Amino acid sequence: MDINKINGLIAAPFTPMYENGSLNTGMIKNYAGKLKNDGVSGVFVCGTTGEGMLMTLDERKEVAEAWIEEQTSYFRVIVHVGTTSYKQSCELAAHAQDKGAFATGTMGPLFLRPSRTEELVGFCSEIASAAPDIPFYYYHIPSISGIKLPMTEFLSQAAKKIPNLAGVKFTDNDFMDMLECIRLDDGKWNILHGYDELLLAGLSFGVKGAVGSTYNFMAQLYYKLINCFEKGDIDGARNYQAMSIKVINILVKYGGAIVSGKALMKSVGIECGPVRLPLKNPDKTMYDKFIEEIKNTGVIF
Amino acid sequence: MDINKINGLIAAPFTPMYENGSLNTGMIKNYAGKLKNDGVSGVFVCGTTGEGMLMTLDERKEVAEAWIEEQTSYFRVIVHVGTTSYKQSCELAAHAQDKGAFATGTMGPLFLRPSRTEELVGFCSEIASAAPDIPFYYYHIPSISGIKLPMTEFLSQAAKKIPNLAGVKFTDNDFMDMLECIRLDDGKWNILHGYDELLLAGLSFGVKGAVGSTYNFMAQLYYKLINCFEKGDIDGARNYQAMSIKVINILVKYGGAIVSGKALMKSVGIECGPVRLPLKNPDKTMYDKFIEEIKNTGVIF
Amino acid sequence: MDINKINGLIAAPFTPMYENGSLNTGMIKNYAGKLKNDGVSGVFVCGTTGEGMLMTLDERKEVAEAWIEEQTSYFRVIVHVGTTSYKQSCELAAHAQDKGAFATGTMGPLFLRPSRTEELVGFCSEIASAAPDIPFYYYHIPSISGIKLPMTEFLSQAAKKIPNLAGVKFTDNDFMDMLECIRLDDGKWNILHGYDELLLAGLSFGVKGAVGSTYNFMAQLYYKLINCFEKGDIDGARNYQAMSIKVINILVKYGGAIVSGKALMKSVGIECGPVRLPLKNPDKTMYDKFIEEIKNTGVIF
Amino acid sequence: MDINKINGLIAAPFTPMYENGSLNTGMIKNYAGKLKNDGVSGVFVCGTTGEGMLMTLDERKEVAEAWIEEQTSYFRVIVHVGTTSYKQSCELAAHAQDKGAFATGTMGPLFLRPSRTEELVGFCSEIASAAPDIPFYYYHIPSISGIKLPMTEFLSQAAKKIPNLAGVKFTDNDFMDMLECIRLDDGKWNILHGYDELLLAGLSFGVKGAVGSTYNFMAQLYYKLINCFEKGDIDGARNYQAMSIKVINILVKYGGAIVSGKALMKSVGIECGPVRLPLKNPDKTMYDKFIEEIKNTGVIF
């Protein structure tokens, strides 16, 4: 099996829903079109931003299929298959491979969280083996999963048990661990940086790809950041990072990146509808204030 | 609807599995028989001890049905329907009601955990309304769910939104909050104590019912504790509590109450088989040392 | 050396200060008189409630001396000598012994906190040996010190290194650990319960003495609780506990037990003045609302 | 008052002690000489690495004086005056100014930690005003102090209350907050980066100065890193960062940067002696293994 690394910006798409909460997968064609226009190199679907675990398995399959429809060799689909049960995750992983996804990924188990690396490897190994012909990514996101184990150790142990291991979606600010992962085994592993607000730090530590929710609506800003960085214009890159942080602070203030990010999509032409329980949608007044503040930054529109 | 409180000891049963990891629901008849013999007043199925979220929805339904088969007016079944998705939980709740369960319960959402009581109430309300004709319990277990909100506040708010609210399975050592819950609204709510090792503290604060994993194999010891307590013999009750703690310390030492507790069931005549990923079964050497230490306590056998 | 256990209620006194923040040790004579009238069996001075570490060493010595002046065989003084530096603590401990204190105690080091029991024992051993002729108590309070090590293990190890070890002031809700401490070495150790709001749970687990801040102003209520408990009237004891919790909830609401508790002392005849930085005194409006709410409980005045 | 920023690498020196634990300030002249030779631009004395709060106030003054003796316009001394008591800290701050230190700094109070920015500002304001003629730095180090408040907010509020505010020693990996601090008020504040292992990330986010413990023995490596960065050779900078991380991993493995770092100083010609309680010195066997591993890296000697 040939595992190709993904580089560039990968969006973690919101899952479009109708006002009544049911899926609106018909919107995904346009959504993918917008992302492709923005130069985004792929999507990580049904993850945290995509409200993955708030959906049923059937819904997740439907969403995955709709994105895979839009897949090209320049726009690849990683399907997040994380659930609390490895059996359910295996079902989703097999489906993803069957439908032609580029890769699968899973966060660690939220229920009865492992405290030792070998337990985490055991869990991931089972899931990765259910989609053995496509790459597998571990989704490291301690702030959501509560699992804070060193990824250097994870990669070292998992390399022996997971033949299709591709790398880690690294959503943590332990850059020391991240640098070691990037350099491990002569740079063999695909380390995808997961904090949009710290992309510049990631680049300086050597990441080549990143997954994030704000790449849904301001990928072009981040590509400018990357261009500056690659030309050696760190000051310029820092300016773009500061602009992204200005927006992210507003997202956080209005309910977090999922709730307010999803609401924002309408303004860039992709109506994504409401979020699901236990998340809470902003009311009209709050929404208007939020959009006003975003406008005032001048970053997006 | 008439909501009766459950009193006495309620077991949180392990889910019997074959060596290959598939369900062994055929064992549940004997299991229920043993618990009834021990005077246990009910079961809380597919919860933490029962590895609920490690199973598929179909498996959970199968397990729930098998326990409901054994239900009597003295041995009642509460079905834990917690998942990360309220839709999945509603499916399980509707099934439980349909099959005749006494009640449903759910822990808070593990994915995108609410930080405010109203969000938690919103989530629970949706699930409770899917089994509207039977009582609903919120399962408060911050050490697993990561949701640490005051239950006094939860009950006050939920009382207005959840007509079939029965109470809380309270697995936390915030006895101050617990006492207030017990006394709230003139003692209306059914507060089930969730820490076997602290049952005596719970009794002194006024609980009348308790749910736990060690009631699977040493309920008789706890009934002696309760008898002493009710007679005013606190010293005697404390001795029994100390014996229970001696056993629990060994369970913790050998992998925790689920892993080692499930292994222990064989010794009391109910073979429950292995635990599931991400949990890890003890090897033979460890198992033998574990059983030896349990034997040396003289508490169980 | 003969180590006598302290039983009954021990107040953790507030440190009286003038409006300008300087010490008002002249108030301590009356303060001790009030506590003696209430049947309090001693004081734990310069601890958390006493703002111990917010004072200079000279101030702490002055406060300790003033309390030792009031010491009798029925009203004994434990001096908290905890600082971030064992050298400073040794100085305070030697002073306490020299002036005739009944005992010393220290919480674990707040700076560069130990993560292993042997390190904590090493730190305490050095301090205990600076006041070798009087008993030494370890002050276990993870919520303040951040040191959460099992006390059963601490006592077992410290017994071999600290000849004058008397026991533990146990301010944590791990009652499982507490019960084991109480029963360790045939009940040799003096375990002083530190959560006023959970006194009933402590009694049911076997504590005979307790240290707390609300014993400063409602000791009589807690003695009624204890009387009920000893007569086997658990319902009665629970009612008194519920009354104490009602008051404590208000203290918490208005800035916490130190800030609002200290403000409350004026109403029971002992003006204790303001708290020190980094604590923040309530303004007049807040203070009035606070006293109003306390009055409405009918518990204290 | 003219507040000059400090740039470049600032060492957080270990405090030299004799085998019996008493101070060996006679060593400081040589120590300063070595640091000056390495191009280090100053020292942050009696901080975390310097075991500041493990010393008495008199000891801290002695250490501060010895370093101030070595001060030049290219080698400046910031004296950490943090204690649990603002009164003690004021005494140290006044002393530092009196003896001619360049600046003072304090971490937040470890005892009764503030949870709101205004309380922290109040505490710092009092201390800064005790050395009003020299700059004041807040020492942000949540992993030690337990105080995790946003520094952007701290600077905004403190700017109005602390006339001699110079900036923040920022020892946290919240680079989003750090970037905002750097850019706040047109770059007015001196933000000193505190994680040696993440220096490259700090540089990319715009820091010009850094304080750390490994600048005591491998400053030259970090200056090479900085040179590469400034020339736009990010790959080169990353290589040096990876070398630093290799060493830091070994320090962590052998007891942490203070314990093992202090032991290491002997090998670079500055015997610093043992650490103090509650820290624990490595035994001979462990020390030898540690030095062997450091040697094998080839980074230092």
Side-chain angles (χ1 to χ4, degrees), chain D residues 7-19:
Chain D
N7 292 334
L9 300 177
I10 298 156
F14 301 99
T15 297
M17 297 180 188
Y18 289 112
E19 278 307 311

Side-chain angles (χ1 to χ4, degrees), chain B residues 274-292:
Chain B
V275 290
R276 261 197 194 171
L277 284 172
L279 300 175
K280 205 171 171 307
N281 290 290
D283 61 25
K284 178 81 175 82
T285 317
M286 202 178 229
Y287 173 77
D288 289 344
K289 280 173 62 181
F290 162 61
I291 293 295
E292 185 67 21

Side-chain angles (χ1 to χ4, degrees), chain C residues 78-134:
Chain C
I78 308 177
V79 179
H80 177 248
V81 301
T83 71
T84 58
S85 152
Y86 83 87
K87 280 205 167 185
Q88 291 182 321
S89 294
C90 285
E91 184 182 326
L92 292 176
H95 172 267
Q97 175 175 306
D98 190 50
K99 296 299 175 187
F102 169 69
T104 66
T106 187
M107 68 171 67
L110 299 175
F111 181 62
L112 305 178
R113 286 186 276 273
S115 56
R116 289 177 306 161
T117 300
E118 66 176 289
E119 291 163 352
L120 181 60
V121 170
F123 184 82
C124 289
S125 167
E126 201 69 29
I127 296 168
S129 73
D133 303 332
I134 57 176

